[in-house]
């Protein structure tokens, strides 16, 4: 074989790999449809007056007072669900979260809907599945829906799908849906190995619904999250909110793949496009439109309920706590949660306090700039110490992720110092022997308040992936209920007891050279 023939043969072999690499990096810029308008945007210049872009806004009386008036813009961008704070529980420990799930699923009468990244395959996960299976056998009226990510849920020979197949095979009352990102396609889908194929986008919402109970969390359904991986969990008893999330998950199931009794995946009855074969923009546009249409319809319904409360006719519907659902589906052109979060950060009043938590410190440039230049609150940011990071000790490039997060946090500290804001923002790291840290969210204290008035809780890590790649869901909870406020305060203090200030250690912590070299290129993927 001549030298030319040799080079040509290697070019043919390497060409698919090079195409896949180009494909991966092209997704940084070109793979997402234009965002357009999902819901009316919050006002940019004066957060005391709500936008009216989506119709006449109805603001409950509590938001007309000086205390909550600065948050009235929330009614313009999200449906509002007034509830009683006494019907909300804040769960602190993963073991309690797991036991609550098992108990609720065992006693469910009408429906169980579980949305997560994946379901583990260990003994605790098997016990949860067995509880659901037994209830299905004894209750013909029970309907069970599980929504997982396709790539993560089918990874390995024994996986989420194989664990749930006995239920799929036994009854039509159990449905397993796997969301497949439209970004993973072509040569990338054929050649990207497991784990790597999850980089392009996943189903990341964590919503656990049983009858009229909704649990919002950042925790997946696996052993670590049931034992020694710290997260957050809020349980809300409210029929209207449960109906909202049941229908929202139903909409996502429409453009997800359904697993049949033979184990094969097929399209939902109302959907005609395979996510990895049809035009990507066409898939994303149709999925986005279905979510937007649903959201806007619910906003109109909830406006009527809030109007009755504003008119003093709320009765049992009147509440001291208000739930604003937020979603983010960047790969479908839906940017909702990120806009609300930015507005909340930039709208913090002088004299207020903000506590932000994330399992992975990779805040978007927008969030970091807002915290540095626009936020007027005194801020604490809680994140995982490398020893509490779930990627610690991982094989291959993933093993460098904890160091990458440390590097990003250090750069943020340098930015704060350059801007003269380091006195206003403090960083803390969670470290607890034998535990990892995955809690995320926000607690906001209005001026002169010793207890939180607002919390964000859900699946978002406030990072690049959360905004641009994954499907996310969280709520903005606003409350006047002192008992609930104390629970939220105790929740944060429970996290903070295992944390120490991070500045000195971050500055001195070594970061491998190769991590320094690649972190800027890959930060959109982790």
């Amino acid at each position: 074989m001549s030298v030319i023939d040799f080079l040509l043969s290697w070019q043919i072999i390497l060409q698919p790999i090079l195409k896949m690499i180009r494909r991966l990096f092209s997704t940084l810029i070109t793979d997402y449809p234009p965002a357009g308008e999902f819901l009316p945007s919050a006002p940019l210049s004066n957060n005391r007056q709500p936008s009216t872009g989506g119709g006449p806004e109805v603001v409950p009386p509590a938001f007309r007072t000086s205390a909550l008036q600065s948050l009235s813009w929330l009614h313009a961008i999200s449906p509002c669900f007034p509830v009683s704070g006494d019907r909300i529980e804040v769960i602190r420990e993963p073991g309690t979260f797991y036991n609550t799930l098992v108990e609720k699923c065992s006693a469910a009468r009408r429906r169980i809907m579980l949305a997560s990244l994946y379901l583990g395959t260990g003994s605790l996960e098997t016990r949860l599945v067995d509880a659901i299976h037994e209830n299905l056998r004894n209750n013909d009226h029970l309907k069970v829906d599980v929504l997982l990510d396709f790539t993560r849920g089918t990874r390995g020979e024994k996986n989420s799908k194989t664990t749930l197949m006995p239920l799929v095979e036994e009854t039509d009352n159990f449905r397993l849906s796997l969301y497949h990102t439209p970004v993973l396609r072509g040569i990338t889908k054929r050649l990207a190995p497991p784990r790597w194929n999850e980089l392009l986008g996943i189903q990341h919402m964590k919503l656990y619904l049983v009858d009229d109970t909704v649990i919002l969390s950042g925790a997946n359904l696996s052993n670590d999250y049931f034992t020694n991986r710290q997260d957050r969990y809020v349980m809300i008893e409210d029929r209207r909110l449960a109906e909202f999330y049941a229908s929202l998950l139903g909409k996502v199931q429409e453009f997800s793949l359904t697993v049949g009794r033979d184990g094969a995946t097929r399209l939902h009855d109302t959907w005609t496009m395979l996510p990895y074969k049809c035009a990507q923009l066409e898939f994303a546009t149709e999925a986005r439109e279905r979510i937007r249409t649903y959201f806007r319809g619910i906003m109109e319904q909830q406006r009527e309920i809030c109007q009755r409360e504003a008119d003093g006719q709320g009765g049992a519907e009147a509440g001291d706590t208000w739930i604003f659902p937020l979603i983010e589906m960047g790969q479908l052109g839906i940017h909702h949660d990120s806009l609300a979060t930015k507005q909340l950060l930039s709208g913090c009043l002088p004299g207020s306090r903000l506590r932000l938590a994330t399992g992975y410190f990779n805040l978007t440039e927008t969030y970091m700039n807002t915290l540095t230049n626009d936020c007027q609150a005194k801020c604490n940011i809680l994140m995982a110490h490398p020893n509490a990071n779930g990627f610690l000790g991982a094989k291959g490039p993933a093993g460098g992720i904890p160091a990458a997060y440390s590097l990003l946090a250090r750069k943020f500290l340098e930015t704060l110092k350059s801007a003269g804001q380091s006195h206003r923002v403090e960083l803390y790291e969670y470290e607890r022997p034998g535990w990892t840290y995955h809690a995320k969210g926000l607690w906001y204290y209005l001026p002169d308040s010793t207890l939180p008035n607002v919390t964000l809780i859900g699946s978002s890590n406030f990072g690049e992936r959360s905004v641009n790649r994954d499907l996310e869901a969280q709520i903005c909870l606003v409350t006047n209920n002192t008992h609930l406020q104390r629970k939220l305060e105790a929740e944060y203090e429970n996290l903070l007891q295992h944390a120490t200030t991070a500045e000195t250690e971050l500055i001195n912590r070594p970061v491998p050279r190769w991590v320094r070299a690649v972190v800027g290129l890959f930060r959109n993927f982790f």
Side-chain angles (χ1 to χ4, degrees):
M1 178 184 293
S2 67
V3 174
I4 294 178
D5 289 337
F6 177 80
L7 292 175
L8 287 173
S9 66
W10 271 103
Q11 184 181 19
I12 294 171
I13 294 172
L14 291 175
Q15 191 173 17
I17 299 175
L18 294 173
K19 282 185 178 180
M20 182 178 72
I21 293 173
R22 284 196 296 270
R23 171 81 180 161
L24 283 169
F25 287 106
S26 73
T27 61
L28 289 168
I29 301 173
T30 61
D31 270 344
Y32 304 111
E37 182 194 68
F38 175 63
L39 289 172
S41 299
L44 297 178
S45 59
N46 182 3
N47 67 322
R48 291 181 178 273
Q49 297 298 325
S51 163
T52 58
E57 302 307 328
V58 179
V59 180
F63 286 81
R64 299 173 189 168
T65 66
S66 58
L68 297 183
Q69 189 179 17
S70 63
L71 300 168
S72 61
W73 57 269
L74 284 164
H75 294 271
I77 66 163
S78 175
C80 174
F81 293 85
V83 301
S84 168
D86 293 334
R87 299 184 66 81
I88 299 176
E89 288 298 325
V90 179
I91 299 172
R92 296 191 206 171
E93 297 295 332
T96 307
F97 166 61
Y98 173 73
N99 290 331
T100 300
L101 273 179
V102 173
E103 291 169 7
K104 292 285 185 182
C105 290
S106 298
R109 294 184 295 176
R110 294 181 290 111
R111 64 183 170 197
I112 298 173
M113 299 189 78
L114 308 177
S116 187
L117 173 60
Y118 69 102
L119 171 75
T121 59
S123 60
L124 291 179
E125 299 92 319
T126 300
R127 181 186 162 205
L128 175 61
V129 173
D130 288 345
I132 296 172
H133 202 168
E134 183 67 20
N135 198 349
L136 276 168
R137 286 172 173 164
N138 297 329
N139 183 356
D140 292 336
H141 301 290
L142 180 64
K143 305 289 186 182
V144 181
D145 289 88
V146 176
L147 171 66
L148 306 173
D149 181 70
F150 180 92
T151 53
R152 183 63 181 89
T154 59
R155 184 207 293 175
E157 187 174 339
K158 185 179 181 182
N159 52 50
S160 307
K161 179 184 170 185
T162 60
T163 300
L164 293 170
M165 276 309 299
L167 284 73
V168 175
E169 294 166 353
E170 183 172 309
T171 174
D172 290 334
N173 284 356
F174 182 89
R175 178 169 56 175
L176 173 60
S177 300
L178 301 174
Y179 174 81
H180 188 297
T181 172
V183 182
L184 181 63
R185 55 180 52 238
I187 193 70
T188 310
K189 180 173 173 62
R190 292 196 296 273
L191 296 183
R195 297 180 187 271
W196 291 89
N197 59 7
E198 297 164 28
L199 293 175
L200 299 184
I202 53 176
Q203 192 305 105
H204 197 247
M205 297 185 292
K206 286 50 179 292
L207 295 165
Y208 308 118
L209 169 65
V210 181
D211 291 334
D212 292 336
T213 300
V214 180
I215 300 178
L216 292 108
S217 180
N220 290 303
L221 299 174
S222 69
N223 180 79
D224 290 355
Y225 294 92
F226 297 152
T227 53
N228 61 347
R229 188 157 172 76
Q230 183 65 61
D231 215 300
R232 297 182 68 203
Y233 335 84
V234 166
M235 182 169 66
I236 306 169
E237 302 275 356
D238 185 76
R239 180 180 59 82
R240 284 195 177 89
L241 188 66
E243 293 291 347
F244 166 80
Y245 277 115
S247 296
L248 175 64
L249 293 180
K251 289 297 176 185
V252 177
Q253 286 178 302
E254 289 179 11
F255 49 84
S256 300
L257 300 172
T258 302
V259 179
R261 290 192 174 190
D262 59 355
T265 55
R266 56 178 173 79
L267 295 175
H268 189 275
D269 293 341
T270 67
W271 194 260
T272 61
M273 295 175 283
L274 273 174
Y276 48 87
K277 286 192 175 180
C278 68
Q280 181 181 331
L281 182 59
E282 184 180 0
F283 180 98
T285 300
E286 176 61 22
R288 175 176 170 273
E289 188 57 32
R290 292 195 185 193
I291 296 293
R292 179 171 64 173
T293 300
Y294 171 67
F295 241 79
R296 288 186 167 180
I298 295 298
M299 284 191 73
E300 291 300 323
Q301 292 179 23
Q302 292 305 118
R303 278 194 186 104
E304 295 177 4
I305 293 173
C306 289
Q307 180 66 64
R308 289 199 294 271
E309 181 180 338
D311 294 340
Q313 302 172 6
E317 295 164 350
D320 52 25
T321 302
W322 301 267
I323 307 294
F324 299 91
L326 306 171
I327 60 171
E328 193 82 1
M329 300 178 178
Q331 59 185 253
L332 304 179
I334 296 174
H335 295 287
H336 180 228
D337 173 66
S338 60
L339 298 177
T341 300
K342 179 181 182 297
Q343 176 64 19
L344 188 58
L345 297 177
S346 63
C348 290
L349 301 174
S352 64
R353 291 184 295 142
L354 183 73
R355 290 169 157 181
L356 189 144
T358 177
Y360 311 115
F361 190 91
N362 187 18
L363 301 183
T364 67
E365 291 292 339
T366 297
Y367 289 157
M368 288 192 289
N369 290 338
T370 303
L371 285 168
T372 302
N373 302 313
D374 301 325
C375 182
Q376 299 185 70
K378 180 78 172 177
C379 302
N380 291 347
I381 300 177
L382 177 60
M383 57 190 176
H385 186 279
N387 291 335
N389 190 296
F391 289 98
L392 184 68
K395 296 179 181 179
I401 290 178
Y405 290 133
S406 292
L407 179 60
L408 292 169
R410 183 192 303 173
K411 289 182 176 180
F412 181 54
L413 274 177
E414 293 169 355
T415 299
L416 289 169
K417 289 180 179 178
S418 298
Q421 295 295 313
S422 57
H423 68 285
R424 190 177 54 79
V425 182
E426 289 186 285
L427 271 62
Y428 292 82
E429 289 184 325
Y430 180 102
E431 185 177 16
R432 184 179 179 183
W435 285 63
T436 56
Y437 177 80
H438 197 247
K440 70 271 290 184
L442 177 153
W443 298 256
Y444 176 50
Y445 303 68
L446 288 165
D448 301 322
S449 178
T450 60
L451 297 172
N453 305 93
V454 179
T455 191
L456 295 182
I457 180 169
S459 62
S460 174
N461 287 298
F462 305 111
E464 296 288 343
R465 283 196 64 102
S466 296
V467 172
N468 292 317
R469 296 200 171 275
D470 301 337
L471 305 191
E472 308 280 10
Q474 68 175 349
I475 59 169
C476 179
L477 182 155
V478 182
T479 186
N480 274 336
N481 185 296
T482 304
H483 187 49
L484 177 57
Q485 289 177 285
R486 290 195 181 110
K487 291 179 182 177
L488 292 168
E489 174 75 1
E491 176 196 32
Y492 184 81
E493 292 298 330
N494 183 56
L495 298 175
L496 199 63
Q497 69 173 320
H498 301 289
T500 55
T501 54
E503 181 174 354
T504 301
E505 188 171 346
L506 277 174
I507 293 173
N508 298 319
R509 185 177 296 153
V511 176
R513 289 184 178 180
W514 72 267
V515 173
R516 293 173 179 269
V518 303
V519 68
L521 189 61
F522 284 99
R523 66 171 298 187
N524 189 259
F525 291 98
F526 62 85

